[in-house]
Amino acid sequence: MDDCIFCKIINGQIPSEKVYEDDEILAFKDIKPSAPIHILVIPKKHISTLMEINEEDMYLMEKIMKAIHKIAKQQGIEKSGFRLIASCGPDSGQEVMHIHFHLLAGKKMGPKIVA
Ligand code: AMP
Ligand code: ZN
């Protein structure tokens, strides 16, 4: 998608600090981190919201979870833990309309998830 900021990161038009990449998944550091480790994990295919994932793209969710396992080990947080957040639609405050999972780690987090 031409005007999508994450598609521009995927095709290199906008720089990013990549932490993981394969043929269909990309992970990079969030530009405004909310935790010492704040990584965004995205499919390279442009899908605007979690509700737009169709049956034939569902395998990407499995690939994302496998990537998250690898990233957790690479970052050394597989035992200490992390929080995974994905927003969908207006009430969630989703700002970038290209699905993404926030991987947050590196500090003890409280029970409250939302701001
Ligand atoms: P959301 O509110 O769930 O849509 O989250 C969008 C996230 O994208 C925010 O945490 C932003 O800080 C992050 N973000 C926006 N632009 C960039 C960028 N160019 N590089 C890295 N992260 C970005
Ligand atoms: Zn996109």
Side-chain angles (χ1 to χ4, degrees), residues 41-53:
V41 188
I42 68 174
K44 289 185 174 175
K45 178 173 182 180
H46 180 88
I47 304 169
S48 55
T49 80
L50 294 176
M51 288 306 295
E52 301 295 320
I53 306 167

Side-chain angles (χ1 to χ4, degrees), residues 8-112:
K8 285 181 178 162
I9 285 175
I10 291 160
N11 69 27
Q13 277 179 273
I14 294 177
S16 69
E17 244 188 282
K18 292 177 189 171
V19 300
Y20 175 84
E21 182 168 19
D22 64 34
D23 53 338
E24 292 183 295
I25 309 296
L26 178 67
F28 51 96
K29 292 188 183 171
D30 195 294
I31 207 165
K32 274 171 65 182
S34 298
I37 295 171
H38 187 168
I39 292 163
L40 299 172
V41 188
I42 68 174
K44 289 185 174 175
K45 178 173 182 180
H46 180 88
I47 304 169
S48 55
T49 80
L50 294 176
M51 288 306 295
E52 301 295 320
I53 306 167
N54 60 32
E55 199 56 43
E56 77 178 27
D57 290 335
M58 275 302 170
Y59 77 97
L60 289 170
M61 297 301 103
E62 183 178 339
K63 285 200 80 171
I64 283 176
M65 192 51 64
K66 286 179 175 166
I68 287 166
H69 284 198
K70 286 183 187 154
I71 295 162
K73 286 174 191 157
Q74 169 214 92
Q75 299 285 321
I77 53 167
E78 77 273 32
K79 295 254 163 52
S80 52
F82 55 88
R83 179 171 286 169
L84 203 56
I85 296 176
S87 295
C88 178
D91 274 3
S92 74
Q94 181 182 359
E95 282 180 356
V96 178
M97 300 307 279
H98 179 132
I99 56 176
H100 52 280
F101 291 83
H102 296 258
L103 194 162
L104 300 155
K107 71 171 186 183
K108 197 94 182 161
M109 284 172 257
K112 208 168 167 203

